[in-house]
Amino acid sequence: MTTQSGTTEVSGEPSRGEAREGIDEIHILWISEGMSCDGDTVSLTAADQPSIEDVVLGLIPGLPKVNLVNKVLSPSLGGEDFLAPYRAAARGELGPFILVIEGSIPNQNIIDGDGYWTSFGNDPETGEPQTLNHWIDELAPRAWAVVAAGTCATYGGIHAMAGNPTGCMGLADYLGWEFTSQAGLPVVNVPGCPIQPENFMETLIWVLQHAAGTAPPPPLDHMLRPQWLFGKTVHEGCDRGSYYEQADFGLDYNSPKCLVKTGCWGPVVNCNVPKRGWMAGIGGCPNVGGICIGCTMPGFPDAFMPFMDEPPGGTLSSMVIKPYGAVIRRLRGLTNDMVNHEPKWRHNKRKLTSGFDPRWRS
Amino acid sequence: MTTTDARSTGRKPAQIVDMSWDPITRIIGNLGIYTKIDFANREVVECHSTSSLFRGYSVFMKGKDPRDAGFITSRICGICGDNHTTCSNYAQQMAYGVKPPKLAEHITNLGEAAEYMFDHTIFQDNLVFVDFCEAMVKATNPGVLARAERTDAPRGDIHGYRTIADIMKAFNPFEGEVYKEALKVSRVTREMFCLMEGRHVHPSTLYPGGVGTMPQPNTFTDYLSRLMRVIDFVKKAVAMNDDVFDFFYEALPGYEEVGKRRILLGCWGAWQNPDVVDYRYENMNRWGKAMYVTPGIVVDGKLVTNNLIDINLGLRVMLGSSFYEDWVNEDPFVTHDPLGNPVDMRHPWNQTTVPVPQKRDFDGNYSWVMSPRWYHPESGQHLALDTGGGPLARLWSTALSGLVDTPYVKATGNSVRISLPKGESLPETTLEWHIPKWSNTIERDRARPYFVAYAAAMALQFLEEAMGMLRDGDTKVFENFEVPDDAIGCGFHEAVRGVLSHHLVIRDKKIANYHPYPPTPWNASPRDIYGTPGPYEDAVQGQPIFEENGPDDFKGVDIMRTVRSFDPCLPCGVHMYMGKGKTLSTVHSPTYGANHG
Ligand code: SF4
Ligand code: SF4
């Protein structure tokens, strides 16, 4: 099911799974208490193909009935009222559910004592905050599927950058890359800072159709991303590509030409945004005038900073652009490989290795 | 109502119940509200607000390339990331000494206008208004709903609903007409945003020195046609909100006390005037006053200052109940501002953030949020300013200053007049927001749809000016710059829910210190070193309870309305956290209640 990502072709239709009983009703338990900005939930509400209301109101054929539990959209007043389904799920008393995690997972192991980096509700017995880690430990093993929404949850993202004090990491780093859910699926990663609205809805729909028994499992690449969404590079979908081909580069941001010299990482980043637009085909990054900063990538942000400088190798590939061919593809493959790896400080060990120094000034 | 009766006939022995809501729903971020409620006298006697999330932007920005600051700080907030990018670019432009081309300012202003329209709409109609919708009012004040069914909506000719209850029904989550329409409008306004800034939430085309957005005629006509498609929705929203809020005052006498606090409002100004702004600190008073929302600090209804230099120098970041080490004995980064004024050790330029995770203790440290305050030279007090959820302070400060005078928006000294053109079904309309009697829950909420109208009106002006420039062939949108070895900068802006500042110190071309102060740390702050509660705490503490349910099935809707009226958005608390709600224990403590009598 996994293939090497990068500029490789998206594989053809995956083989059909065994015929199985479908699920009629499923809960989506969404937790946004990771280290995040909640931008993925907000982004989700921008999707229109389909929209979240369409899914919740049962307007999409072939899906189970969906009960969405999300703090931002919840009509409940909050507190225990809102937490009830999470508590039921932790006790094993809630029907099949998809656990969606938003935000990176802090390393609680580096804290001595009773402190916490982030919590979600309180322990009903003691009144003490319950950490995000507690909830993941309780819910992930019981979940029918586990989905990581956004780059923070998939690979750590901004909050896991060098020098961070929380030692946070992506969900697969936390659960282990070999983790499988009740349905036998690995963590389904939908990166993006934030998620491109339709990319997320589409992945969710595929997972829901799989639950209903009407689709095989979604095809994922080696970083557990949906292949059909992340199999190509930004560059391959960019409408400034013909300028690149003619070695015609913008030298500052006033230009409609290729942005590689002003910081665009498009050639080696897996993302479909310039092709797809941001919402309803509108917006995007290099196509509108924004450099690609690699926000969907495991190496984001450190591997791409400083953002406003030409990427290393950019000059080389832009100079030898004319004898374009196998050599470039290979070089680019190497860089793509590099940015498709996470920094090694993203782990759940007892030591903080992100480079944070509380007395950094001395 | 029982509440008013109880108050007028003297106090009963207190019956205090601990109640908490953690996490609070329909907000962004982790917020917890912990209260003690006196059910005998139907009022809240104590409130603590807490946030349980720490992320550490001001920590991991250190040592990074300053040009990356806007891209990184965008990620502080998943709903107003662009406000952060914009504010960061303002601060960087001061530090680099660069002034973006005029057209870039128009494009940024148009992006910000679309953001205000989007964010206030989705927040008010899909999150806040759920607390006033039919389903919620039925569950908390059935008597009020019955009355709403009998009450004709005075502005029905504008919005088309016959009774107040019909409006409330239209706001029922996922099913009501207005709820669904608001989600659609929030998409159209986000498309407008994406035309200017590439992506929503985290924009892709904003840079220090300008924007990368390709200005073409269709960039602006695509925006204009969408704006005109939603303009009638905006007029209707103002009318519907006015109807429901006026009805609440009438149906529940005394409701003005809900969420009321002393008038202590701060606004840092929004939308630069491209003809005046040069980003030089020395001229900040001049270009600050030229902004299209006027900055200002309003205390007890009076304008204390609208000078951004005074505002800047008065900022103080206090500890007292937060999980951090104090930095007061560190070396200051900035001892004097560029005009030679001394800069306090508690000013954001001099702050050092060292997190110390620890047990939550409501008698000690209980939040990851710090306590920003504004030092008021006249009284010597550290004021716990609030933002009124954003629009209340913006409209109040702009109205009092009387400086904004444009074809579509005019400040009169005690009101703000907003003109919107003819739309699909409604004629040209002039709306007028008047300074209210109170800074309370309902007025915070009421100001919001008016500000959506304000943003729509300003967008029309920016569009006209941008189109004019384009037709004159002036399409430059970016100005080059050098990052200096050493510099300082500050940016002042309005995030959707209120004041936003970024303070930056550069040494050896790297970030030596960076502190963003968004609205929620102001509003959600815990008690500071002097014991002064933060605005949520202060607004909830002492407020009456109108909900008809008793302690056993109490929902806390009046408290939640107050908290949500501030448009809480905790990812920006750091920086912050919160959230949950049920009776924890019943404490009969008459002396406690007596103290708060
Ligand atoms: S702008 Fe970026 S993505 Fe587009 S062609 Fe140039 S390098 Fe490739
Ligand atoms: S093009 Fe680059 S910056 Fe834009 S969304 Fe894709 S990965 Fe992120």
Side-chain angles (χ1 to χ4, degrees):
Chain A
M1 196 168 69
T2 62
T3 57
Q4 192 65 28
S5 73
T7 49
T8 51
E9 280 300 300
V10 178
S11 71
E13 274 297 289
S15 59
R16 284 216 139 240
E18 325 262 278
R20 8 163 236 106
E21 282 283 294
I23 291 171
D24 311 326
E25 182 166 356
I26 199 160
H27 301 264
I28 298 178
L29 298 187
W30 188 303
I31 298 184
S32 54
E33 267 69 11
M35 329 230 100
S36 84
C37 66
D38 284 14
D40 302 301
T41 290
V42 173
S43 209
L44 165 89
T45 65
D48 210 11
Q49 299 161 18
S51 70
I52 187 72
E53 328 66 292
D54 292 348
V55 173
V56 171
L57 298 174
L59 292 179
I60 310 294
L63 306 187
K65 177 175 176 346
V66 173
N67 305 312
L68 172 70
V69 190
N70 170 296
K71 182 185 65 200
V72 178
L73 300 171
S74 168
S76 91
L77 278 154
E80 285 305 315
D81 189 24
F82 168 70
L83 288 170
Y86 297 87
R87 300 234 188 264
R91 288 191 304 264
E93 291 165 11
L94 192 85
F97 67 91
I98 298 174
L99 177 66
V100 181
I101 297 289
E102 177 171 2
S104 39
I105 322 301
N107 188 344
Q108 282 292 129
N109 291 324
I110 57 174
I111 298 181
D112 290 319
D114 298 323
Y116 51 88
W117 294 118
T118 176
S119 76
F120 180 53
N122 294 324
D123 187 319
E125 308 278 286
T126 63
E128 293 298 320
Q130 283 175 313
T131 61
L132 169 75
N133 310 57
H134 159 88
W135 284 102
I136 295 176
D137 296 346
E138 290 283 313
L139 298 179
R142 298 180 193 273
W144 187 84
V146 175
V147 177
T151 300
C152 289
T154 56
Y155 309 125
I158 283 274
H159 310 102
M161 81 158 77
N164 81 79
T166 56
C168 60
M169 68 203 92
L171 189 58
D173 300 320
Y174 184 78
L175 290 173
W177 284 78
E178 317 68 39
F179 170 89
T180 52
S181 66
Q182 292 290 327
L185 296 172
V187 175
V188 177
N189 278 338
V190 188
C193 184
I195 47 169
Q196 197 272 5
E198 267 110 31
N199 279 352
F200 185 83
M201 284 309 288
E202 224 177 284
T203 308
L204 186 67
I205 296 284
W206 192 316
V207 172
L208 288 169
Q209 284 169 336
H210 180 50
T214 56
L220 307 177
D221 70 12
H222 76 295
M223 293 308 286
L224 307 178
R225 296 168 285 206
Q227 265 181 29
W228 77 100
L229 299 169
F230 295 91
K232 290 194 175 157
T233 61
V234 167
H235 197 81
E236 284 158 352
C238 179
D239 60 11
R240 298 181 185 226
S242 51
Y243 289 102
Y244 187 98
E245 197 189 310
Q246 295 161 39
D248 195 357
F249 305 113
L251 299 177
D252 71 19
Y253 305 96
N254 283 301
S255 173
K257 298 176 179 169
C258 171
L259 294 166
V260 74
K261 290 210 176 293
T262 52
C264 185
W265 280 84
V268 293
V269 166
N270 301 75
C271 172
N272 61 358
V273 160
K275 181 88 181 160
R276 187 167 211 180
W278 189 253
M279 52 187 294
I282 291 161
C285 302
N287 52 323
V288 188
I291 48 174
C292 169
I293 61 171
C295 78
T296 55
M297 299 300 280
F300 178 75
D302 304 85
F304 304 94
M305 289 164 70
F307 298 125
M308 287 171 72
D309 284 345
E310 182 177 5
T315 328
L316 174 69
S317 57
S318 52
M319 264 164 42
V320 291
I321 186 66
K322 284 180 184 139
Y324 186 82
V327 180
I328 291 302
R329 273 202 299 275
R330 235 204 21 254
L331 283 175
R332 221 174 261 158
L334 291 176
T335 323
N336 176 260
D337 217 44
M338 179 188 86
V339 291
N340 258 316
H341 278 97
E342 289 183 63
K344 37 184 187 320
W345 61 77
R346 297 178 189 171
H347 59 73
N348 201 23
K349 305 197 184 106
R350 274 196 62 78
K351 205 163 145 46
L352 178 63
T353 50
S354 71
F356 168 65
D357 175 5
R359 295 262 65 86
W360 66 279
R361 270 197 283 179
S362 50
Chain B
M1 287 303 306
T2 43
T3 310
T4 19
D5 295 348
R7 303 191 139 207
S8 53
T9 56
R11 299 186 65 85
K12 301 182 186 143
Q15 182 210 339
I16 311 270
V17 179
D18 280 347
M19 295 254 175
S20 66
W21 292 263
D22 190 350
I24 303 250
T25 49
R26 281 180 278 122
I27 65 162
I28 307 281
N30 320 8
L31 172 71
I33 292 288
Y34 292 75
T35 64
K36 291 190 195 304
I37 297 173
D38 175 354
F39 275 95
N41 293 296
R42 303 196 68 78
E43 69 175 32
V44 184
V45 291
E46 193 183 277
C47 174
H48 287 87
S49 119
T50 162
S51 173
S52 67
L53 172 63
F54 176 78
R55 295 176 300 165
Y57 280 79
S58 39
V59 176
F60 54 66
M61 300 272 288
K62 284 181 176 172
K64 305 284 155 76
D65 188 313
R67 295 170 303 163
D68 289 347
F71 298 92
I72 298 172
T73 55
S74 171
R75 273 74 187 178
I76 288 174
C77 182
I79 191 151
C80 65
D82 60 299
N83 301 141
H84 282 279
T85 316
T86 303
C87 193
S88 176
N89 290 344
Y90 290 170
Q92 290 179 62
Q93 280 149 198
M94 183 180 285
Y96 309 157
V98 60
K99 172 178 157 55
K102 262 173 82 167
L103 188 56
E105 297 287 5
H106 285 311
I107 289 176
T108 307
N109 285 348
L110 282 165
E112 297 305 272
E115 167 68 26
Y116 293 134
M117 291 182 69
F118 146 69
D119 191 336
H120 284 317
T121 300
I122 199 167
F123 182 75
Q124 183 87 344
D125 298 340
N126 301 116
L127 308 180
V128 164
F129 222 101
V130 171
D131 285 338
F132 294 90
C133 77
E134 185 221 13
M136 189 67 78
V137 177
K138 192 194 251 160
T140 52
N141 292 80
V144 171
L145 183 62
R147 182 171 176 154
E149 273 156 7
R150 298 189 306 264
T151 308
D152 282 340
R155 298 167 184 84
D157 55 324
I158 302 171
H159 53 64
Y161 292 99
R162 197 178 61 79
T163 66
I164 299 291
D166 289 341
I167 304 177
M168 290 174 167
K169 271 188 210 115
F171 279 94
N172 279 343
F174 288 104
E175 275 145 20
E177 253 173 18
V178 177
Y179 185 95
K180 285 199 272 192
E181 167 106 32
L183 276 176
K184 291 210 183 88
V185 167
S186 84
R187 286 179 195 128
V188 177
T189 42
R190 266 181 285 189
E191 288 169 20
M192 287 156 58
F193 180 90
C194 291
L195 287 164
M196 296 299 135
E197 304 193 6
R199 314 186 322 165
H200 189 275
V201 175
H202 304 311
S204 57
T205 65
L206 301 186
Y207 304 98
V211 299
T213 314
M214 271 307 300
Q216 300 182 80
N218 67 293
T219 312
F220 300 109
T221 49
D222 286 356
Y223 185 105
L224 177 64
S225 53
R226 285 176 173 76
L227 176 60
M228 292 314 294
R229 225 180 287 150
V230 300
I231 209 105
D232 284 351
F233 177 85
V234 175
K235 296 172 196 161
K236 288 182 194 165
V238 172
M240 278 188 274
N241 279 266
D242 272 342
D243 275 357
V244 171
F245 295 137
D246 291 350
F247 167 79
F248 258 76
Y249 282 141
E250 196 186 291
L252 294 170
Y255 213 82
E256 66 276 5
E257 292 299 319
V258 171
K260 192 172 114 189
R261 72 185 297 252
R262 187 180 162 199
I263 300 164
L264 292 171
L265 297 168
C267 164
W268 296 169
W271 293 310
Q272 302 291 357
N273 182 332
D275 294 322
V276 184
V277 67
D278 65 2
Y279 295 98
R280 287 174 55 81
Y281 184 90
E282 293 82 346
N283 300 333
M284 190 157 67
N285 180 22
R286 192 165 71 89
W287 52 260
K289 285 188 179 132
M291 289 166 104
Y292 292 113
V293 164
T294 318
I297 289 171
V298 181
V299 174
D300 298 329
K302 305 233 159 43
L303 183 71
V304 172
T305 179
N306 55 11
N307 179 342
L308 274 180
I309 294 173
D310 292 347
I311 290 177
N312 178 45
L313 291 170
L315 300 178
R316 299 286 182 272
V317 182
M318 320 284 284
L319 296 174
S321 309
S322 322
F323 305 147
Y324 300 91
E325 216 169 84
D326 202 353
W327 59 88
V328 82
N329 295 321
E330 305 276 339
D331 288 336
F333 288 94
V334 181
T335 55
H336 292 84
D337 76 354
L339 290 166
N341 300 303
V343 175
D344 195 85
M345 195 58 205
R346 306 220 75 89
H347 188 277
W349 265 328
N350 287 329
Q351 181 183 340
T352 294
T353 304
V354 181
V356 186
Q358 54 195 275
K359 198 177 158 93
R360 184 175 63 203
D361 172 6
F362 287 112
D363 296 321
N365 294 336
Y366 59 91
S367 185
W368 274 117
V369 186
M370 295 191 197
S371 304
R373 299 289 184 256
W374 192 75
Y375 179 72
H376 185 222
E378 265 117 84
S379 64
Q381 285 172 343
H382 292 87
L383 303 178
L385 298 180
D386 71 69
T387 73
L392 188 68
R394 287 204 279 276
L395 289 164
W396 209 310
S397 158
T398 303
L400 282 182
S401 284
L403 294 171
V404 173
D405 188 359
T406 75
Y408 299 98
V409 177
K410 190 171 164 44
T412 67
N414 51 34
S415 73
V416 176
R417 233 177 273 140
I418 303 155
S419 306
L420 295 178
K422 176 176 161 318
E424 216 177 309
S425 60
L426 292 172
E428 185 183 337
T429 305
T430 297
L431 302 164
E432 189 160 3
W433 177 89
H434 295 274
I435 292 180
K437 281 188 252 168
W438 311 286
S439 170
N440 66 3
T441 296
I442 284 196
E443 298 308 331
R444 277 176 218 116
D445 285 342
R446 186 202 300 273
R448 206 165 285 120
Y450 279 92
F451 196 77
V452 174
Y454 191 133
M458 285 313 306
L460 287 162
Q461 179 185 326
F462 301 141
L463 276 174
E464 282 163 19
E465 291 181 23
M467 264 302 204
M469 290 186 68
L470 200 68
R471 288 179 179 141
D472 291 345
D474 185 354
T475 59
K476 192 165 183 221
V477 288
F478 176 79
E479 191 65 62
N480 238 321
F481 57 83
E482 282 283 323
V483 177
D485 288 343
D486 298 290
I488 59 173
C490 58
F492 287 91
H493 188 34
E494 283 282 302
V496 181
R497 37 209 58 76
V499 299
L500 175 60
S501 59
H502 281 215
H503 284 82
L504 158 75
V505 180
I506 299 173
R507 283 189 188 158
D508 302 328
K509 293 195 194 298
K510 296 263 185 286
I511 294 175
N513 207 12
Y514 200 106
H515 281 91
Y517 269 93
T520 304
W522 286 87
N523 294 331
S525 62
R527 284 155 174 76
D528 62 27
I529 189 80
Y530 302 113
T532 311
Y536 295 169
E537 301 183 329
D538 182 38
V540 169
Q541 210 154 278
Q543 85 163 42
I545 297 295
F546 284 85
E547 181 177 338
E548 292 167 30
N549 300 318
D552 295 337
D553 49 359
F554 187 64
K555 307 247 183 318
V557 71
D558 303 303
I559 296 168
M560 293 301 103
R561 280 182 189 138
T562 294
V563 173
R564 286 200 193 93
S565 70
F566 286 96
D567 196 343
C569 179
L570 280 103
C572 74
V574 180
H575 296 355
M576 333 214 282
Y577 149 86
M578 312 245 222
K580 148 190 170 158
K582 267 279 160 175
T583 310
L584 292 178
S585 62
T586 305
V587 191
H588 292 281
S589 155
T591 43
Y592 188 81
N595 282 342
H596 287 77

